[in-house]
Amino acid sequence: MPHELPKAYEPGAIETRWADYWIKEKLFSVPTPPPGETRPVFTLLLPPPNVTGQLHMGHMFGQTQMDIIVRWHRMRGFITLWLPGTDHAGIATQMMVERDLVKEGLKRRDLGRKKFIERVWDWKKHYGGAILNQMKRLGASVDWDREYFTMDEDLSHAVREVFVRLYEEGLIYRGHYIVNWCPWHETAISDLEVKHEDVAGKLWEIRYPVVGSDEFITVATTRPETMLGDTAIAVNAKDERYTHLHGKKVMLPLMNREIPIITDELAQPEFGTGAVKVTPAHDPNDFEAGKRHHLPQITVMDEHAHMNQNAGVYAGLDRFEARKRVLADLQEQGFLVGEKDYALSIGKCERCGTIVEPRLSEQWFIKIAPLAARAKEAVESGEITIVPDNHRTIYLNWMNNIHDWCVSRQLWWGHRIPAWTCGNCKQVTVAREAPLTCGKCGSTDLEQVPDVLDTWFSSGLLPFTTLGWPDKTRDQAVFYPTTLLITAYEILFFWVARMIMFGCHFMQGHQQDPAIKKASGWADKKNDSVPFREVYIHSLVRDAERQKMSKVKGNVINPLEVIDRFGTDATRFTLAAMAAPGTDIAFNESRTEGYRAFANKIWNAARFMFMNVDRVEPGLRPAGTAEGGGPHMGVAGFQTSALEDRWILSRFNRVVADVNDALKTYRFHEAANRIYDFFWGDFCDWYLELIKPRLNFEDGADKSAAQIACANLVNLFDASLRLLHPVMPFITEEIWQAIYEGKPPLQSIALAAYPLSDQEQIDFAAETEMAILQDLIVSVRNLRAELKVEPKVRVPTEVFAHEPAIRTMIEHNHGAIERLANLEKITFVEGSLASKAAARGTARFDVHVIYERKIDVAAECERLKKELDKIEKELANNHKQLGNPQFLAKAPAKVVEGLRTRGQELLVLQEKTLSKMKELGCK
Ligand SMILES: [Zn+2]
Ligand SMILES: [Zn+2]
């Protein structure tokens, strides 16, 4: 049966077919390994995209890197678990549904909590998780049987358990606190969710009359409406301007309330008048000062940022309207004494853009210091490695300056806080399940606290809750700590830091199965409570002009559109080939187009191979991918009968070593580029061309030679496909399956063995010889191009080889040289040819193309002059190094020896170039 491979490479058809196949066959599903398992384990948690999300370039970039690492481990024989899922994304999802409601003229309060939540679940059922289907297009080899959603019942149960335990340990408290409040969302948001913008604002100066005198104290503010809630004026104790006013009071304008003058560090003598107003309910610094002096906290705004009943006549006004009225009234009554332009930074809600209002409210907090201490220690001690290293420093700095975490949100969508307030005695009970009666007074009038938890609370628990926590499970013993986390910088604190804090706390005392731990290479690690052993922070994808992609700029590249045009494989390859650690990518479609051509090249090479195999030895199969993985080293079943065989085998093993090394340290770009150069250059451009005559046995030639050539081709192709598979999973699967005519020994190339380098198969002599041949062929090709020789014309050539061994080698391979360089005949001469026109001299040989066309003397002189410059520069450098005693004392003998040899060669080249220039009469 002939091998089936369509004529044209059409990624669209191939890719969807294999993506479906992998999922249908459950190839990446990982059952729980039983006790006694001794294979190494690799576990990776997918950073859960929001359930509302659409796949963007950043996702695709991250997931491409994850999939490469995951496939690579799987092929190396690791039990490989990649856990996918989505996040309920409290605020984002709630907003999505609220927007829908607005179209129907409704607000969430019109529906009520229960109906609204039903509506969100309904939305999720219909539209949620579209991003996971998009991931399937990328070929992400996740275990879909273990897909989770952060609001699943078991995960929600774990969230309640964590909350109650923290509460019982005294690590959760409730308190009045100034939080960042989004009036649109009507909820507290964390510092991390506030975007700061520099704007041109105003600074207003207001004077407050001192009670019992005709003096005034002037203060400045950018938010005059908050003065309605002032409860003191602060001056610095050391500020002599105000010493005589200590202990006195001022009359608060507009409100006619007496408030004290206090001394506090809040007031800095060198700033403005040195006096400041104190509004404990509306400013975080004032809040602290207020606590120091036991000042009342007067809230003057409600949750919509409208003025409330404490704001006197301004009650009911929006905050900005109130600002105008307050200023007008102050002006009219003679209290407004100045107005200046002032540059200030305002905080906006990251999601809706509403200006954030500092607001005093009752919230739930996690006491972070004890959790942070352990999380810091885990990174400092090297139990968790963060790559690249600069992010480690950022992480540790943050941990040193961390504040208590406000975990409550005034939303409806999310994990509701497991706390109940007694309607009778106001006692708050925190419990795993709804209590029937109040523990203090016995009342049954209990109502659950309306707040939900910050989304990052539940996602911070995922490394262990997805493995069955709070039960002690075999999955935890095997897969925890997870091996690696690949993620973007922007969620280092939101997510990564919190996972470390929670993991170190709740998994304290956990131990990974010792046999698996050892096999996986973690025997030296002591702390098995950490959520992962390593974190790799990847960079950003920008547009071709290095601009950050944004909807506003309109430069967002949709990865699915790129995939539609060039295929997933080519898009993945682009991202991998550009993914140098620590450097942002400037995504350019022309690169993707180039990698599509690369895929096409491989496709055509496969077709060429099949054509020959079907003719020479139908049914031939590779020796490398035997059942259970087969031999991993080098290329199995490869017979080295000619120089090109020895050479390609050597090259392959070198590349394999480099690629494995690069993947170990997340140098995806190096891995991809090495494979590219090997497959396109060494394999397709050279090896295939060199073995062509051996495949042709019809005109009386040796059939067994053709059989060996075919076997080599198939074995090498099979190994090269396995090498490329993690980066280009689809085309490699298609060709690999075709090699086996649809009946492979394993269900998928994804389960076959990844090549390892066999040092025995590295052949220095073959590589040196081949380099000379390639140099000779390329020299002739260049000469032909310069002489503008018609492609059909085969030209005679003269060669002078400096050493007899090289002459023998060239003679031995003359057939290949003549064919690849399009030569008529090689004649060996005694004596240098370098001075001739239409000739090239190298350190090992001179070659002269005999062709009757006058060369352009001026152009040739120009070229020679450039070459001479280059040679002389290198020569000068060479002399400098060899004349430097410090260098000679330190450099290894091999390096010095190499430099000496090169120096000799350069002298030869200089001499040849000069004599040629003389011959041509160059100036
Ligand atoms: Zn908002
Ligand atoms: Zn009670």
Side-chain angles (χ1 to χ4, degrees), residues 61-62 65 387-391 487 489 536-543 546 574-587 591 665-670:
F61 183 45
Q65 294 170 88
V387 183
D389 197 51
N390 58 319
H391 294 297
T487 190
Y489 168 70
Y536 174 65
I537 305 281
H538 65 71
S539 39
L540 292 178
V541 186
R542 297 170 179 265
D543 75 2
R546 295 211 159 270
T574 311
L575 293 169
M578 299 179 85
T583 315
D584 286 352
I585 283 186
F587 188 88
R591 292 275 301 253
T665 48
Y666 315 113
R667 286 172 291 133
F668 297 94
H669 63 307
E670 270 181 42

Side-chain angles (χ1 to χ4, degrees), residues 91 182 184-185 349 351-354:
I91 220 171
C182 171
W184 194 91
H185 280 103
C349 170
R351 295 186 182 276
C352 69
T354 307

Side-chain angles (χ1 to χ4, degrees), residues 612 615-616 691-703 705-706 709:
N612 285 292
R615 192 171 45 83
V616 178
I691 64 161
K692 263 181 188 167
R694 291 159 62 190
L695 293 165
N696 191 2
F697 62 94
E698 266 99 0
D699 22 320
D702 184 1
K703 183 170 179 184

